[in-house]
């Protein structure tokens, strides 16, 4: 278990290092643990589509265009601060607020004191909408998919409903997932990338909704050369606690040709499906 924790700690450190390379100059010395999307959704109070009205040093003023679920927001609201930000180091130069005027975003917000709202971190909890396309996060803010507004709203309406009420339209979601997981795993080539994004959405939506997908459906995604598809499918296997899945995961972990990160995901899934019998193997 110590080895698993150490690997996850190393992964979090890797994410922080990536963040320092990808973010603006003023963030180079600001580091934090970036949350997984499941954590972001769990801790958010509101899920909205909003248009940025103005930006200042304290944050943003946005107009609510659409609010999802039982907790709804209306009118103009102020967004400032971050509800999941745990700084590991700071230069004292301050954090860059990520929203830009006059763009539109889907936002996961938490209500704070004084009537203001906050985002999770400077790099999570928001998805830009531009020309009918959403740069969407289903797993982690450094693993994003470009999808249509319709697909984004259709999937996230069900995901948000499940997290907040434990209810979702299983038939509708299952039909969407079946369409894309029945196809061969797509890659990053121009003619395949749209299908890859939709397969990523299908796999991650099933995971977020705790849906059980058959091993036979997921094996082709685990055995592809596509890193992102392998991770999604290995993660999704934790929803199936069958003996066959536990054995498959153990064999995957034991295979020296598989990458360390994928093995960490497989180990976490094995523990979830009841891999106690393999802990001393």
């Amino acid at each position: 278990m110590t080895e698993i924790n150490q690997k996850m700690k190393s992964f979090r450190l890797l994410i922080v290092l990536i963040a320092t390379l990808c973010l603006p100059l003023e963030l180079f010395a600001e580091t934090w643990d970036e949350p997984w999307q499941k954590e972001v959704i769990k801790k958010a109070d509101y899920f909205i589509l909003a248009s940025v009205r103005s930006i200042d040093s304290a944050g943003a003023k946005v107009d609510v265009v659409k609010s999802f679920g039982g907790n709804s927001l209306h009118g103009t609201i102020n967004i400032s601060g971050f509800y999941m930000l745990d700084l590991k180091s700071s230069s004292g130069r301050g954090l860059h607020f990520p929203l830009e005027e006059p763009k539109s975003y889907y936002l996961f917000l938490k209500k704070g004191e004084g009537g203001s709202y906050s985002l999770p971190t400077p790099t999570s909890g928001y998805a830009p909408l531009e020309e009918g396309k959403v740069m969407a996060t289903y797993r982690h803010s450094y693993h994003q998919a470009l999808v249509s507004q319709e697909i984004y709203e259709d999937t996230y309406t069900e995901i948000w409903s499940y997290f907040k009420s434990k209810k979702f339209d299983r038939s509708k979601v299952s039909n969407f997932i079946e369409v894309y997981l029945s196809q061969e795993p797509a890659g990053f080539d121009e003619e395949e990338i749209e299908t890859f994004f939709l397969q990523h959405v299908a796999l991650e939506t099933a995971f977020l909704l705790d849906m059980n997908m058959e091993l036979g459906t997921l094996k082709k995604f685990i055995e592809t050369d596509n890193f992102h598809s392998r991770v999604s499918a290995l993660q999704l296997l934790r929803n199936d606690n069958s003996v066959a899945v536990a054995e498959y995961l153990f064999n995957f972990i034991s295979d020296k040709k598989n990458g360390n990160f994928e093995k960490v995901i497989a180990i976490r899934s094995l523990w979830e499906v009841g891999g106690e019998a393999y802990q001393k193997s």
Side-chain angles (χ1 to χ4, degrees):
M1 218 35 204
T2 302
E3 182 181 356
I4 298 170
N5 291 336
Q6 185 60 45
K7 286 181 178 179
M8 293 310 299
K9 186 179 293 184
S10 299
F11 172 64
R12 288 196 296 269
L13 178 59
L14 175 62
I15 290 299
V16 168
L17 292 173
I18 293 172
T20 62
L21 293 173
C22 295
L23 294 171
L25 180 62
E26 60 264 32
L27 284 182
F28 276 6
E30 320 294 335
T31 60
W32 61 87
D33 284 345
E34 184 72 344
W36 296 82
Q37 189 69 357
K38 181 172 277 193
E39 299 175 81
V40 169
I41 302 168
K42 279 183 179 178
K43 295 184 178 179
D45 296 325
Y46 300 93
F47 173 43
I48 66 170
L49 170 62
S51 175
V52 179
R53 176 186 287 242
S54 62
I55 299 284
D56 60 30
S57 58
K61 182 175 290 187
V62 306
D63 295 321
V64 178
V65 176
K66 188 174 183 179
S67 193
F68 300 84
N71 285 352
S72 60
L73 292 176
H74 306 280
T76 302
I77 62 172
N78 294 315
I79 302 174
S80 62
F82 306 98
Y83 65 84
M84 294 184 71
L85 182 63
D86 181 16
L87 283 176
K88 301 304 180 185
S89 68
S90 176
S91 65
R93 299 179 67 179
L95 292 161
H96 171 77
F97 198 76
L99 307 185
E100 298 178 11
E101 181 187 356
K103 292 185 177 181
S104 294
Y105 299 86
Y106 290 92
L107 304 170
F108 291 92
L109 303 175
K110 192 168 190 65
K111 189 173 184 178
E113 297 179 2
S116 186
Y117 300 84
S118 58
L119 290 166
T121 71
T123 45
S124 67
Y126 58 92
L129 169 64
E130 188 172 354
E131 296 182 352
K133 294 284 188 178
V134 183
M135 185 58 72
T137 298
Y138 286 82
R139 180 201 297 157
H140 198 279
S141 63
Y142 294 105
H143 302 161
Q144 295 181 328
L146 184 64
V147 296
S148 71
Q149 183 178 11
E150 180 183 10
I151 291 293
Y152 184 83
E153 287 200 7
D154 281 351
T155 52
Y156 259 109
T157 295
E158 304 303 331
I159 293 167
W160 182 253
S161 176
Y162 178 67
F163 271 73
K164 302 307 173 182
S165 70
K166 294 301 178 183
K167 298 177 182 178
F168 70 97
D169 188 335
R170 184 174 293 272
S171 176
K172 179 180 178 181
V173 173
S174 295
N175 289 339
F176 166 77
I177 290 172
E178 183 178 354
V179 166
Y180 293 103
L181 298 195
S182 64
Q183 300 177 33
E184 288 303 305
F188 298 140
D189 292 341
E190 185 176 355
E191 64 274 12
E192 295 184 54
I193 189 66
E194 184 175 352
T195 300
F196 162 72
F197 284 145
L198 290 168
Q199 288 178 334
H200 175 83
V201 171
L203 289 164
E204 295 297 331
T205 295
F207 172 69
L208 290 170
L209 293 175
D210 294 324
M211 296 178 70
N212 183 352
M213 305 302 298
E214 293 183 357
L215 176 60
T217 299
L218 297 180
K219 281 178 68 174
K220 65 185 179 184
F221 292 97
I222 296 171
E223 294 166 8
T224 183
D225 292 333
N226 190 311
F227 166 83
H228 289 284
S229 294
R230 290 200 307 273
V231 169
S232 292
L234 286 165
Q235 178 179 248
L236 184 50
L237 279 180
R238 74 181 63 178
N239 292 346
D240 183 347
N241 61 0
S242 68
V243 173
V245 165
E247 184 175 351
Y248 180 85
L249 287 167
F250 179 75
N251 290 335
F252 182 93
I253 295 162
S254 303
D255 193 331
K256 292 182 179 180
K257 77 174 185 297
N258 292 321
N260 288 336
F261 180 73
E262 292 102 312
K263 286 184 179 182
V264 170
I265 298 299
I267 289 169
R268 294 178 68 184
S269 293
L270 182 58
W271 281 185
E272 289 290 331
V273 303
E276 293 85 358
Y278 297 98
Q279 289 186 18
K280 295 182 180 180
S281 299

